[in-house]
């Protein structure tokens, strides 16, 4: 048996998220349909992240075990020929069978893209979130930085979360102005269910004057999920990087800090 | 009665083109559903261009006649609240009842967007055409210019065209390199059915070495639609400008010439 690791990108618009859910169209279903056909039997795909409905990925990883002995480029070709246009495999590596693409991640980077034109842009539909109102970017920039560090993020995670330990370390949290509005970028050792989207909603509440910059500390300290439970829409969210190497993570944080 | 002129943008991905076709989802159907509801009776929408299935518009115009006496901003709001996210009205003007948004156009500009990465990009799906092969951009640039001038474009229009007069004047035809590949831009007094997409396919044939640059003249002169009948996919095509003013048309051509 060989363990196959794949890096993939997808447009989440047409999917009910990554994970298999009955008969719904999910990224995992598209992938397992291919492994099933190639192996003539069911082969489970394991992802690094279970992205939600509508969320995009620029660097998601999956692994699976195979008795086939194909070279890496043949794996890539087999998947890319069979996958729909909104999913693509960008790299394939054979890895040690101790490697696990979820348990071995040491960090992730997400980006949330917002455009602020007064009118919606039909060509940004499903790719960015539209916020056609006045936003105080400076306040949002100050507030974003306050998420950095090690905190209990109970207040910033969905009530549906099953895990108990809600402490995460955020290496970078930053709002970057763009030509179309702003990007929120965040790098951390891990993220709770809906955490990035709840943080984005909290930041845009601050930018609209509904909350104070200092509320970030207060709400983190409250450890109460009713304090910040609204979530920004999924369409602006991208899983942009998945890290297995400290060096790559540090390099990414350093680069984002220069922007 | 007042004649209402609207400028609109849309993402063509989800539509079977502009024009009503039985029960299919078209842009016209979405618009006429709104005029019908507002007027309690059927009100015909007239477009400047009948864009094809999958083709996008950044500046399409429509007009219709109404007995309602709404101010322009109320028309805009009424439409934008009722339209799906992939269509937007960007401007509303009341016009003289002699004005006709199709017959009064003096020119149009189309853009065709191509990306050339070896791998497909899921976030460009339906927004650009993927051509993952070697293209000789210089040859394509030379060839594109040869379409400029007044020609009989019989060879570059679909066999389905019903109109007899196939002479059109092209004010500018140009290939512009981009970070992701190239854009083909073309400005003319009018375009035949599938003409831009047939020209793009012809240019990319030249760029791949299947045809010579000089073939442009030969095929135009042949006035034979079997000589260049393949069409590039619709997803890369944008109706970018619709002109009613000589000044705006000249200004657009001058600006594109500086790029």
């Amino acid at each position: 048996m060989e363990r196959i690791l794949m890096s993939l990108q997808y447009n989440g618009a047409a999917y009910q998220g990554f994970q298999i859910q009955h008969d719904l169209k999910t990224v995992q279903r598209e992938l397992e349909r291919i492994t099933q056909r190639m192996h003539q039997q069911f082969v489970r795909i394991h992802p690094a992240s279970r992205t939600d409905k509508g969320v995009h990925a620029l660097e998601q990883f999956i692994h699976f075990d195979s008795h086939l002995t194909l070279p890496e480029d043949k794996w890539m070709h087999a998947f890319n020929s069979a996958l729909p246009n909104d999913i693509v495999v960008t790299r394939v590596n054979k890895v040690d069978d101790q490697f696990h693409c979820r348990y071995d991640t040491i960090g992730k980077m997400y980006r949330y893209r917002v455009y602020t034109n007064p009118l919606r842009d039909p060509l940004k539909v499903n790719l960015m979130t539209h916020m056609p109102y006045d936003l105080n970017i400076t306040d949002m920039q100050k507030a974003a930085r306050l998420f950095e560090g090690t905190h209990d993020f109970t207040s910033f995670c969905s009530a549906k979360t099953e895990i108990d330990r809600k402490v995460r370390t955020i290496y970078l949290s930053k709002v970057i102005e763009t030509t179309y509005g702003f990007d929120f970028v965040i790098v951390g050792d891990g993220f709770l269910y809906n955490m990035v989207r709840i943080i984005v909603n909290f930041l845009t509440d601050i930018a609209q004057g509904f909350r104070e910059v200092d509320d970030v500390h207060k709400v983190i300290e409250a450890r109460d999920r009713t304090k910040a439970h609204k979530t920004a829409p999924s369409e602006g969210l991208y899983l942009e990087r998945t890290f297995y190497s400290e060096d790559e993570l540090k390099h990414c944080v350093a680069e984002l800090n220069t922007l």
Side-chain angles (χ1 to χ4, degrees), chain A:
Chain A
M1 291 289 265
E2 285 187 316
R3 181 155 291 185
I4 309 298
L5 176 71
M6 291 185 171
S7 171
L8 45 129
Q9 302 189 330
Y10 47 84
N11 183 329
Y15 297 95
Q16 302 292 317
F18 186 89
Q19 198 172 21
I20 284 284
Q21 294 178 60
H22 313 290
D23 284 340
L24 296 178
K25 188 177 171 184
T26 64
V27 178
Q28 188 172 10
R29 193 180 72 166
E30 299 296 326
L31 295 165
E32 289 181 352
R33 207 179 256 170
I34 298 169
T35 50
Q36 168 122 31
R37 200 173 51 216
M38 290 180 76
H39 297 83
Q40 308 283 324
Q41 69 184 56
F42 177 74
V43 174
R44 171 62 77 204
I45 293 278
H46 300 271
S49 307
R50 284 165 300 185
T51 56
D52 271 355
K53 179 181 173 181
V55 175
H56 314 293
L58 298 176
E59 190 180 58
Q60 165 77 292
F61 284 91
I62 56 160
H63 80 249
F64 58 91
D65 294 320
S66 175
H67 62 263
L68 301 176
T69 51
L70 289 177
E72 287 147 343
D73 61 328
K74 290 279 189 280
W75 275 115
M76 185 150 147
H77 183 75
F79 270 68
N80 282 338
S81 312
L83 283 167
N85 273 341
D86 49 11
I87 307 177
V88 67
V89 175
T90 58
R91 216 163 61 233
V92 176
N93 288 103
K94 295 184 183 183
V95 289
D96 189 275
D97 65 2
Q98 296 302 302
F99 180 87
H100 192 289
C101 75
R102 179 140 62 104
Y103 305 141
D104 289 358
T105 52
I106 56 157
K108 286 171 199 166
M109 173 196 160
Y110 282 92
R111 182 184 297 266
Y112 195 95
R113 309 181 81 181
V114 172
Y115 75 103
T116 55
N117 309 10
L119 285 178
R120 65 175 173 262
D121 179 344
L123 300 169
K124 293 192 172 71
V125 166
N126 294 331
L127 295 175
M128 288 192 200
T129 300
H130 187 208
M131 298 194 181
Y133 22 80
D134 277 338
L135 294 169
N136 184 326
I137 300 273
T138 314
D139 276 0
M140 222 174 4
Q141 282 170 329
K142 282 184 208 152
R145 287 298 195 175
L146 303 180
F147 287 94
E148 295 179 352
T150 302
H151 306 287
D152 182 322
F153 282 99
T154 302
S155 297
F156 291 92
C157 97
S158 161
K160 290 182 221 154
T161 307
E162 283 157 25
I163 21 166
D164 288 333
R165 194 171 175 280
K166 302 213 173 84
V167 175
R168 294 293 181 275
T169 298
I170 300 303
Y171 303 114
L172 177 134
S173 166
K174 191 173 174 177
V175 168
I176 300 168
E177 282 198 82
T178 62
T179 50
Y180 46 79
F182 71 90
D183 283 4
F184 169 65
V185 291
I186 188 163
V187 183
D189 62 352
F191 293 88
L192 300 164
Y193 187 50
N194 279 352
M195 180 169 150
V196 182
R197 288 163 58 192
I198 297 171
I199 291 176
V200 168
N201 184 73
F202 198 82
L203 290 174
T204 55
D205 272 1
I206 290 170
Q208 290 175 85
F210 302 147
R211 299 246 192 191
E212 303 294 317
V213 172
D214 289 342
D215 287 355
V216 174
H217 284 314
K218 288 178 200 155
V219 174
I220 289 176
E221 279 156 26
R223 291 175 212 182
D224 174 353
R225 60 193 167 220
T226 66
K227 298 285 184 203
H229 66 290
K230 276 198 278 179
T231 57
S234 61
E235 58 192 358
L237 186 59
Y238 293 72
L239 170 62
E240 186 162 313
R241 297 292 307 274
T242 302
F243 299 105
Y244 298 101
S245 132
E246 285 286 351
D247 278 356
E248 283 188 25
L249 190 155
K250 279 181 190 158
H251 184 257
C252 172
V253 169
E255 203 152 281
L256 288 170
N257 265 321
T258 66
L259 295 180

